[in-house]
Amino acid sequence: MPELSEEEKAVQAAVMEHQRGAARLTMAEDARSLVAYSSGYAVLSTLSSQVDGYPNGALVGFAPDASGLPVFVFSAMSSHTKDLSKVGGQAALTVTAKGFEGAADGRVTLIGDVERVGKEQVEKEGLKELYRERHPNAFWVDFGDFTFYRMASLKAVNFVGGFARAAAPSPDEYLSAEVDPIQAFAAPVMGHMNDDHAESTVAMVMHYVGLPDVEAAQLVALDRLGFMVQVTRQGQTFKLRLPFPRAAADRKDVKSLIVEMTQAAYKDESVQAHLAALAKPEESAAAAGA
């Protein structure tokens, strides 16, 4: 690997300093939001009733309740149901971020006691409606051999938000954290930016992070404090945090903040020059194909 120039070392040091100060959700907020906006499916680990002293794992559906704890509906025939009834309720649920592809993506493990929920409690708390809201086609929740369970007590939380971002929020921190409201509509906003305004994202990264020679930039996560961007530069791809100037309250506010940041970035002469240089190969290719 070639040695970095002094100029490049200075650039990387400045970027690292920017990233250390970039506003982010707390780890507990990140964990709560990941669970809330997940696919509703996760891996449940239980103590095996088949092999003494060994764990069992199963992919299960769940719906988080108001406190962020999972509610399940299990068949009496399932191995994990037998584990819970015969061995004990000690369990761990590993939830991955929606669209999870690998180690750079977020995941949360909730460790606690899973207990059976009586019919009266199911009706009183509206757990059937809660589950169906997340899983509309779960017609089998009315079948006689299916029973509601829930993680009744939380013992520990392990959160990994990607490379170099991991923590173990306390159960109280997790339970009291707010779900980020902006992530509810993040996907269409990011899709619009990536499809129609990718050049603007390049401009914002260069201007606000201070990173020159950005070849491409795509939004990969969005919350009320800012967004994560997957950046391509000098043949390398990596993620950076780009915070908003202030917290966003709603979808309209997100749009206003992005417009504000884009306009400021386009006033940067170095950004203008770089974008013009990026556009020239595209113009040449278009002319050649005409």
Side-chain angles (χ1 to χ4, degrees):
M1 186 175 180
E3 186 175 346
L4 297 177
S5 66
E6 292 303 315
E7 181 181 3
E8 182 62 20
K9 288 179 181 178
V11 166
Q12 293 193 13
V15 170
M16 290 175 65
E17 183 64 26
H18 174 274
Q19 291 298 285
R20 279 193 287 268
R24 302 172 185 267
L25 300 179
T26 67
M27 296 290 193
E29 288 175 317
D30 252 340
R32 273 296 302 273
S33 300
L34 187 154
V35 171
Y37 296 118
S38 72
S39 67
Y41 289 92
V43 175
L44 180 70
S45 300
T46 52
L47 297 174
S48 175
S49 57
Q50 295 174 293
V51 186
D52 187 41
Y54 284 80
N56 182 29
L59 182 65
V60 300
F62 77 96
D65 64 15
S67 62
L69 293 180
V71 172
F72 312 97
V73 186
F74 293 150
S75 166
M77 298 176 63
S78 298
S79 62
H80 48 276
T81 308
K82 295 173 183 177
D83 295 343
L84 295 170
S85 61
K86 293 181 180 180
V87 182
Q90 302 97 319
L93 186 74
T94 300
V95 186
T96 56
K98 207 166 188 176
F100 182 90
E101 293 184 351
D105 299 316
R107 56 268 196 197
V108 177
T109 299
L110 305 177
I111 303 172
D113 296 313
V114 175
E115 299 177 358
R116 183 171 179 163
V117 184
K119 291 183 178 179
E120 289 186 5
Q121 199 67 21
V122 169
E123 292 181 8
K124 181 180 179 181
E125 296 190 35
L127 297 186
K128 188 177 291 187
E129 291 73 22
L130 174 77
Y131 194 86
R132 276 182 165 154
E133 184 177 350
R134 179 54 68 95
H135 301 280
N137 297 322
F139 58 88
W140 35 262
V141 298
D142 292 318
F143 290 0
D145 61 340
F146 279 78
T147 304
F148 276 82
Y149 284 78
R150 75 186 322 165
M151 187 170 282
S153 62
L154 184 64
K155 302 298 184 182
V157 180
N158 291 317
F159 168 70
V160 179
F163 294 123
R165 183 164 170 78
S170 71
D172 285 343
E173 288 172 333
Y174 174 84
L175 295 171
S176 62
E178 296 288 336
V179 174
D180 179 74
I182 302 302
Q183 293 182 41
F185 52 81
V189 172
M190 292 190 296
H192 173 64
M193 287 296 297
N194 293 338
D195 292 341
D196 301 327
H197 302 287
E199 183 184 85
S200 297
T201 306
V202 170
M204 286 187 284
V205 170
M206 291 184 63
H207 177 71
Y208 286 98
V209 181
L211 185 65
D213 306 321
V214 174
E215 298 160 20
Q218 296 271 300
L219 271 65
V220 294
L222 172 68
D223 57 63
R224 72 179 187 278
L225 299 182
F227 42 90
M228 293 297 297
V229 183
Q230 183 167 287
V231 176
T232 301
R233 177 180 184 264
Q234 297 181 353
Q236 295 183 320
T237 300
F238 49 91
K239 291 181 180 179
L240 291 174
R241 178 70 176 178
L242 193 55
F244 289 138
R246 58 187 180 280
D250 51 32
R251 187 165 185 164
K252 182 180 179 181
D253 208 16
V254 169
K255 180 179 179 180
S256 297
L257 286 164
I258 292 176
V259 169
E260 176 185 322
M261 293 172 71
T262 300
Q263 290 175 342
Y266 274 108
K267 292 178 181 178
D268 187 325
E269 292 184 0
S270 63
V271 170
Q272 292 177 17
H274 180 69
L275 293 179
L278 286 179
K280 285 181 180 179
E282 295 179 3
E283 292 171 358
S284 299

